[in-house]
Amino acid sequence: MAAHIRRRLRKGATTTAVAAAAVAALAASQAPAAPLAEGAAGGDQQAAGGESGGPEDGAATGNSPYYTDLPPLVTPDRPGSSSNLPAATGSAEAGIPASVLAAYKQAERTVGTTDPACRLPWQLLAAIGKVESGQARGGQVDANGTTLTPILGPALNGQGFALIKDTDGGAYDSDAVHDRAVGPMQFIPSTWATWGQDANGDGRKDPNNIYDAALAAGRYLCAGGRNLAVAADLDRAVLSYNQSTEYLRTVRSWFAYYQRGTHEVPDGSGVLPTAPSTPTPSPTPTPSPTPGGTTGPTPSPSPSKPGGTKPSPSPSKPGDGSTSPTPTPTPPRPTPPPKPTPSPAETFGSLENAGTGPLSATAGGTFEERVSVRARNALGAPMAQLPVTFTITGTTGTLFDGGKKKVTVISKADGTATAPVLKAGEKTGEFTVTATAGTNRPRTLTYEASVTARQADKIVRVGDKALVAAPGEKFADAVTVKATHKGIAAPGVAVTATMVKDSLGLIDNDKGPYFKDADGKPLRTLDLTTGADGLLQLPEIFADENPGTYKLRLTTEGGGSVVIELTVQAPEETAPEETETPEA
């Protein structure tokens, strides 16, 4: 796409003549934009990192030309307003063609899933799409989002532009000599070969498709662990797309404009930027002609003193007639070669849950679920051979198999890294497992987990001897029960013993048998725990003065329950033996 090198001068006091002169001068010179000064361009921050644009050596577009139209001074809506206004609402400039807008929002959602730490806003993609192609030439795309005709930039032949020789055999840009920027997001073929995406699921990575191009742009802007909610990272991302501070100003202007509100318009009806013009390459500088059409000689330097020439240097030693030797120049120190920038396929991009389910186990037990994550590279593909560290935080005593609270696992070919089995501690409660990967900007995932009390699904009395006591006396026989879980003895299970009135144990009893507390006072509810073999012998039970049949109910964590009958009755009186009366 050829650039339109025309700037809108916004100062109200600037005259038409001055504006015309400024436009003409800029178009003729093709001079690079001035550095972004602090406080300039309506408050834009100075571009972080100069014009290098970040870690990438080149730029996504090969620094191709772009549209320099600026948004209207009247913003589409007030701050905080809807970004989905109806088509008839707001200025025409605020309208974005339906397929183009859908592609930007889809890219935001996709990157938000695979790289949430980047915080990519779709409005930034819209701003770049505006300056690169005028939103795919006003939305001239088919039903699948592919441009009706190719959008190609000028040949990057070094004549006014960068020199980039052909890298794709003309496959994308139909130019087998030099590369050209391609498609609605204006990727050069060499960059597309690395960052191209298939976002519309048609099996092709097509730079001419707005869905594919928007997702590729989103992943490219997020490279290197950038957080686009941070101004400096956003500036670096935009400059990595085109290394020009004027480009950064223009994109930021549209970004702010779209953030204040936009609306959808039908495909093909978007507002086009002013017709672009191809900039004329700057001629090689030549000496200024002298009057009369001849080229003047290079002026000689002025003499050091009026009326004479500069004297020769003094001899190094008086009387020897020699001059000081010319010092031997110090050879330049070799510049170390730049460190190679890792390719996106080698750059860590995001960490996501690989299907870990709820994490819960009973005290002392083993967690059935294991913590698993998937690492992806900057292209969103699974990333192998990445160290992932898993850390347990909490006070339950839970550890990984092997007795460690922190382990490191290397991701497999499918990008997954699975932590060892978790062994629950003895203390119930909540804890977390955190997965961390990456060095420069680590990505983390935190999983909530819990340790619950041991459970028993069944509890039974050991023995069947009747439990009887006289009023005011102690029951002579102790009560022993056994708790099991799935048929296996359940040690350490919490058991609640309660004196109740009914067989279901719904009504507590305030008379009859009782336990004693530490002070010897009656107590009719106790919380107890089974021993190592699942057995539990209850404390002594006492009878009050009320005879009758009473019930003791025992319940466990896990649903086990048993009701035991207690009888309070006076001992049977023995009848006196009859004596025979002697006969008279």
Side-chain angles (χ1 to χ4, degrees):
M1 181 196 69
H4 174 57
I5 312 298
R6 180 180 64 83
R7 300 177 59 190
R8 296 181 179 177
L9 302 179
R10 296 188 173 207
K11 296 183 179 180
T14 307
T15 65
T16 303
V18 172
V23 171
L26 183 58
S29 68
Q30 283 295 291
L36 187 60
E38 185 174 357
D44 279 356
Q45 293 190 353
Q46 186 173 353
E51 293 207 0
S52 66
E56 292 79 14
D57 292 333
T61 65
N63 295 320
S64 292
Y66 55 92
Y67 289 107
T68 59
D69 298 49
L70 294 175
L73 292 175
V74 178
T75 55
D77 201 17
R78 61 184 182 280
S81 62
S82 170
S83 61
N84 296 291
L85 304 176
T89 307
S91 70
E93 286 285 1
I96 298 178
S99 294
V100 179
L101 182 59
Y104 296 150
K105 291 185 176 181
Q106 176 177 299
E108 179 191 65
R109 291 192 300 270
T110 301
V111 174
T113 300
T114 60
D115 190 5
C118 175
R119 301 176 70 181
L120 170 73
W122 67 261
Q123 293 91 343
L124 179 60
L125 297 175
I128 291 175
K130 179 70 173 180
V131 302
E132 291 295 347
S133 67
Q135 310 297 20
R137 291 177 177 160
Q140 296 289 337
V141 296
D142 62 20
N144 294 320
T146 303
T147 57
L148 300 179
T149 57
I151 301 176
L152 299 175
L156 299 176
N157 55 13
Q159 301 299 310
F161 312 113
L163 174 60
I164 303 180
K165 294 183 179 180
D166 176 66
T167 60
D168 66 330
Y172 292 122
D173 57 9
S174 302
D175 189 332
V177 180
H178 297 96
D179 271 352
R180 299 169 181 258
V182 182
M185 302 305 281
Q186 288 289 277
F187 279 95
I188 55 174
S190 58
T191 305
W192 184 259
T194 301
W195 292 92
Q197 302 288 309
D198 176 18
N200 64 349
D202 64 355
R204 299 180 59 222
K205 298 178 180 180
D206 185 0
N208 295 296
N209 181 275
I210 184 59
Y211 291 95
D212 294 357
L215 181 57
R219 295 203 188 284
Y220 182 90
L221 293 167
C222 290
R226 296 190 184 104
N227 177 359
L228 300 183
V230 176
D233 274 11
L234 187 143
D235 286 352
R236 275 190 285 267
V238 174
L239 287 171
S240 75
Y241 217 89
N242 192 310
Q243 296 174 359
S244 161
T245 46
E246 181 65 26
Y247 179 85
L248 173 61
R249 285 194 187 97
T250 307
V251 169
R252 269 194 165 275
S253 296
W254 283 104
F255 178 45
Y257 181 76
Y258 288 138
Q259 281 185 312
R260 291 176 64 89
T262 185
H263 58 272
E264 178 185 299
V265 298
D267 288 345
S269 64
V271 175
L272 293 174
T274 306
S277 60
T278 303
T280 304
S282 301
T284 303
T286 55
S288 300
T290 58
T294 60
T295 301
T298 302
S300 301
S302 302
S304 58
K305 295 182 180 179
T309 60
K310 185 176 182 180
S312 300
S314 301
S316 58
K317 294 183 180 179
D320 66 1
S322 65
T323 60
S324 299
T326 303
T328 302
T330 303
R333 301 176 72 177
T335 303
K339 294 181 180 180
T341 301
S343 71
E346 300 171 329
T347 303
F348 174 50
S350 63
L351 202 62
E352 63 185 38
N353 186 357
T356 305
L359 295 168
S360 180
T362 57
T366 299
F367 284 77
E368 295 183 0
E369 195 75 19
R370 294 172 65 178
V371 178
S372 183
V373 300
R374 177 173 284 104
R376 294 188 181 276
N377 60 25
L379 295 174
M383 187 171 189
Q385 299 300 309
L386 181 73
V388 180
T389 299
F390 298 90
T391 305
I392 297 172
T393 304
T395 59
T396 64
T398 300
L399 299 171
F400 290 114
D401 193 16
K404 296 182 179 180
K405 295 189 73 170
K406 180 183 288 188
V407 295
T408 298
V409 178
I410 305 301
S411 64
K412 297 187 296 185
D414 62 355
T416 60
T418 303
V421 171
L422 286 165
K423 300 287 188 178
E426 291 298 329
K427 186 177 179 180
T428 60
E430 308 292 327
F431 69 97
T432 60
V433 179
T434 301
T436 306
T439 53
N440 295 333
R441 290 197 173 181
R443 307 301 171 97
T444 62
L445 279 179
T446 299
Y447 297 83
E448 301 290 336
S450 63
V451 176
T452 60
R454 284 185 171 89
Q455 297 183 352
D457 53 21
K458 187 175 183 180
I459 185 170
V460 297
R461 182 189 170 198
V462 177
D464 58 1
K465 187 176 180 181
L467 299 169
V468 181
E473 298 296 330
K474 177 176 67 174
F475 284 82
D477 297 306
V479 177
T480 301
V481 295
K482 182 175 183 179
T484 57
H485 183 66
K486 296 181 180 179
I488 300 174
V493 172
V495 177
T496 300
T498 307
M499 300 297 178
V500 295
K501 290 183 178 180
D502 61 306
S503 297
L504 295 177
L506 300 178
I507 305 173
D508 293 354
N509 210 337
D510 56 358
K511 64 179 180 179
Y514 60 89
F515 305 104
K516 285 185 179 180
D517 64 12
D519 297 327
K521 296 179 180 180
L523 193 67
R524 289 186 168 85
T525 297
L526 278 181
D527 290 326
L528 306 164
T529 304
T530 60
D533 52 2
L535 292 174
L536 169 64
Q537 182 174 305
L538 274 62
E540 293 179 325
I541 302 174
F542 300 86
D544 64 9
E545 300 299 331
N546 299 291
T549 300
Y550 299 91
K551 300 183 186 301
L552 168 63
R553 184 171 186 259
L554 296 101
T555 58
T556 68
E557 291 282 348
S561 175
V562 63
V563 176
I564 300 172
E565 194 169 274
L566 302 171
T567 302
V568 179
Q569 68 179 24
E572 293 182 2
E573 296 182 1
T574 302
E577 294 183 2
E578 294 184 1
T579 59
E580 293 184 1
T581 304
E583 294 181 0

Short mmCIF file of all heavy atoms in Angstrom, two decimals, residues 223-225 341-350 376-379 383:
data_model
loop_
_atom_site.label_atom_id
_atom_site.label_comp_id
_atom_site.label_asym_id
_atom_site.label_seq_id
_atom_site.Cartn_x
_atom_site.Cartn_y
_atom_site.Cartn_z
N ALA A 223 4.24 -10.31 21.52
CA ALA A 223 5.50 -11.06 21.62
C ALA A 223 6.39 -10.50 22.72
O ALA A 223 6.32 -9.33 23.09
CB ALA A 223 6.23 -11.01 20.28
N GLY A 224 7.25 -11.38 23.23
CA GLY A 224 8.21 -10.94 24.24
C GLY A 224 7.61 -10.69 25.60
O GLY A 224 8.20 -9.99 26.42
N GLY A 225 6.43 -11.25 25.86
CA GLY A 225 5.82 -11.07 27.18
C GLY A 225 5.29 -9.69 27.44
O GLY A 225 5.20 -9.26 28.59
N THR A 341 17.86 -13.03 18.07
CA THR A 341 16.54 -12.95 18.71
C THR A 341 15.81 -14.27 18.52
O THR A 341 15.71 -14.77 17.41
CB THR A 341 15.71 -11.82 18.08
OG1 THR A 341 16.40 -10.59 18.24
CG2 THR A 341 14.34 -11.73 18.76
N PRO A 342 15.33 -14.87 19.62
CA PRO A 342 14.61 -16.15 19.45
C PRO A 342 13.41 -15.98 18.54
O PRO A 342 12.73 -14.96 18.55
CB PRO A 342 14.17 -16.50 20.88
CG PRO A 342 15.05 -15.69 21.77
CD PRO A 342 15.37 -14.44 21.01
N SER A 343 13.16 -16.98 17.74
CA SER A 343 11.97 -16.95 16.89
C SER A 343 10.73 -17.10 17.74
O SER A 343 10.80 -17.58 18.88
CB SER A 343 12.04 -18.08 15.86
OG SER A 343 11.84 -19.33 16.52
N PRO A 344 9.57 -16.69 17.23
CA PRO A 344 8.33 -16.85 18.02
C PRO A 344 8.09 -18.29 18.45
O PRO A 344 7.52 -18.54 19.50
CB PRO A 344 7.25 -16.36 17.06
CG PRO A 344 7.95 -15.43 16.14
CD PRO A 344 9.33 -16.00 15.96
N ALA A 345 8.54 -19.26 17.61
CA ALA A 345 8.34 -20.65 17.98
C ALA A 345 9.18 -21.04 19.18
O ALA A 345 8.90 -22.02 19.86
CB ALA A 345 8.67 -21.56 16.79
N GLU A 346 10.26 -20.26 19.44
CA GLU A 346 11.13 -20.54 20.59
C GLU A 346 10.82 -19.63 21.77
O GLU A 346 11.43 -19.77 22.82
CB GLU A 346 12.59 -20.34 20.17
CG GLU A 346 13.05 -21.26 19.04
CD GLU A 346 14.41 -20.87 18.53
OE1 GLU A 346 14.75 -19.68 18.58
OE2 GLU A 346 15.16 -21.76 18.07
N THR A 347 9.91 -18.70 21.59
CA THR A 347 9.59 -17.72 22.64
C THR A 347 8.36 -18.16 23.43
O THR A 347 7.31 -18.45 22.85
CB THR A 347 9.33 -16.33 22.02
OG1 THR A 347 10.48 -15.94 21.27
CG2 THR A 347 9.07 -15.30 23.11
N PHE A 348 8.50 -18.23 24.74
CA PHE A 348 7.38 -18.62 25.59
C PHE A 348 6.29 -17.56 25.52
O PHE A 348 6.55 -16.37 25.65
CB PHE A 348 7.88 -18.79 27.02
CG PHE A 348 6.78 -19.07 28.02
CD1 PHE A 348 5.84 -20.05 27.79
CD2 PHE A 348 6.69 -18.33 29.18
CE1 PHE A 348 4.83 -20.31 28.69
CE2 PHE A 348 5.69 -18.58 30.10
CZ PHE A 348 4.76 -19.57 29.86
N GLY A 349 5.04 -18.02 25.33
CA GLY A 349 3.95 -17.07 25.20
C GLY A 349 2.94 -17.11 26.33
O GLY A 349 2.63 -16.09 26.91
N SER A 350 2.44 -18.30 26.68
CA SER A 350 1.36 -18.35 27.66
C SER A 350 1.33 -19.71 28.36
O SER A 350 1.94 -20.68 27.92
CB SER A 350 0.01 -18.09 27.00
OG SER A 350 -0.28 -19.10 26.04
N ARG A 376 2.41 -22.64 25.82
CA ARG A 376 2.33 -22.30 24.39
C ARG A 376 3.39 -21.26 24.06
O ARG A 376 3.74 -20.43 24.91
CB ARG A 376 0.94 -21.76 24.03
CG ARG A 376 -0.17 -22.81 24.17
CD ARG A 376 -1.49 -22.29 23.63
NE ARG A 376 -2.57 -23.25 23.79
CZ ARG A 376 -2.80 -24.25 22.93
NH1 ARG A 376 -2.04 -24.37 21.85
NH2 ARG A 376 -3.79 -25.08 23.13
N ASN A 377 3.87 -21.31 22.82
CA ASN A 377 4.84 -20.32 22.39
C ASN A 377 4.14 -19.05 21.91
O ASN A 377 2.91 -18.94 22.02
CB ASN A 377 5.77 -20.88 21.31
CG ASN A 377 5.02 -21.32 20.06
OD1 ASN A 377 3.92 -20.83 19.77
ND2 ASN A 377 5.60 -22.24 19.30
N ALA A 378 4.92 -18.09 21.42
CA ALA A 378 4.35 -16.80 21.03
C ALA A 378 3.39 -16.91 19.85
O ALA A 378 2.61 -15.99 19.60
CB ALA A 378 5.46 -15.82 20.68
N LEU A 379 3.42 -18.04 19.14
CA LEU A 379 2.48 -18.25 18.04
C LEU A 379 1.21 -18.96 18.50
O LEU A 379 0.30 -19.17 17.72
CB LEU A 379 3.15 -19.08 16.94
CG LEU A 379 4.33 -18.43 16.21
CD1 LEU A 379 4.96 -19.43 15.26
CD2 LEU A 379 3.90 -17.18 15.48
N MET A 383 4.36 -25.72 23.41
CA MET A 383 5.81 -25.49 23.56
C MET A 383 6.41 -26.58 24.44
O MET A 383 6.01 -26.76 25.59
CB MET A 383 6.07 -24.12 24.17
CG MET A 383 7.53 -23.74 24.21
SD MET A 383 7.77 -22.02 24.68
CE MET A 383 9.53 -21.84 24.35
#
